[in-house]
Amino acid sequence: MFGFGKKKLSVGAVVPGRVIDIAEVPDAVFSSKMMGDGYAVEPAQDEILAPCDGQVVLVADTLHALAMEKDGVQLLIHMGLDTVELGGRGFEVLVQQGDPVKRGAVLARMDRGYVASQGKDTIVLVVLTNMAEKVASLAKDLTDPEVLLSIQVK
């Protein structure tokens, strides 16, 4: 009733680089927020990091995406655009479904050179996929890589 005991979740950068709002991503599925709100990073390195503590709940067969969960909030980490078409080439996932992870842990590697050589955008997205069910409020500060998203959990 008064907000006591409500959980807050801070989500940091998944990779160093230039952070942009998800609405600016050059892919309508993401920019329209059809899958959820979030942010994207033009990556400056190949290692993809856990943006918060949590548990890995999904690793795509094609290795281009994985999902984490913390306090019921699900975060999709999607590496590149249209990269499902690469069939896993250019990606190495270092975690498995069910693994607990700490913020900053290396989750995966994306060979940006290979992905770009195949004509794919290397942007990395973090999408809150179950906002309606689990997110009471969302605040963004895309200038602070330590806390890009501040989430009040339902």
Side-chain angles (χ1 to χ4, degrees):
M1 180 170 176
F2 294 103
F4 298 118
K6 294 221 176 193
K7 294 184 179 180
K8 289 189 177 184
L9 175 60
S10 296
V11 178
V14 73
V15 62
R18 187 174 84 88
V19 179
I20 63 170
D21 190 85
I22 198 163
E24 297 176 42
V25 172
D27 182 304
V29 171
F30 293 110
S31 64
S32 68
K33 301 182 185 178
M34 185 183 314
M35 295 186 67
D37 205 344
Y39 69 88
V41 183
E42 294 171 352
Q45 71 180 30
D46 289 355
E47 290 185 331
I48 308 304
L49 312 174
C52 61
D53 293 350
Q55 182 174 30
V56 177
V57 295
L58 171 81
V59 175
D61 291 340
T62 51
L63 308 179
H64 74 291
L66 54 96
M68 292 179 54
E69 185 173 296
K70 174 70 174 176
D71 296 330
V73 177
Q74 293 180 352
L75 299 101
L76 173 68
I77 300 169
H78 194 282
M79 297 173 275
L81 297 178
D82 297 324
T83 48
V84 66
E85 298 168 2
L86 299 178
R89 291 180 307 279
F91 301 96
E92 176 187 13
V93 175
L94 306 173
V95 293
Q96 297 178 22
Q97 185 173 336
D99 285 355
V101 294
K102 291 288 188 189
R103 180 185 179 137
V106 179
L107 302 175
R109 289 189 184 94
M110 173 177 60
D111 182 339
R112 293 173 297 142
Y114 176 79
V115 172
S117 77
Q118 300 304 299
K120 306 298 182 192
D121 193 319
T122 61
I123 200 161
V124 179
L125 300 102
V126 174
V127 184
L128 305 172
T129 57
N130 64 343
M131 285 190 62
E133 298 85 14
K134 292 295 180 180
V135 176
S137 66
L138 171 66
K140 294 183 185 182
D141 180 354
L142 301 182
T143 65
D144 182 359
E146 293 299 312
V147 185
L148 295 169
L149 305 177
S150 295
I151 300 163
Q152 181 73 49
V153 181
K154 283 186 181 176

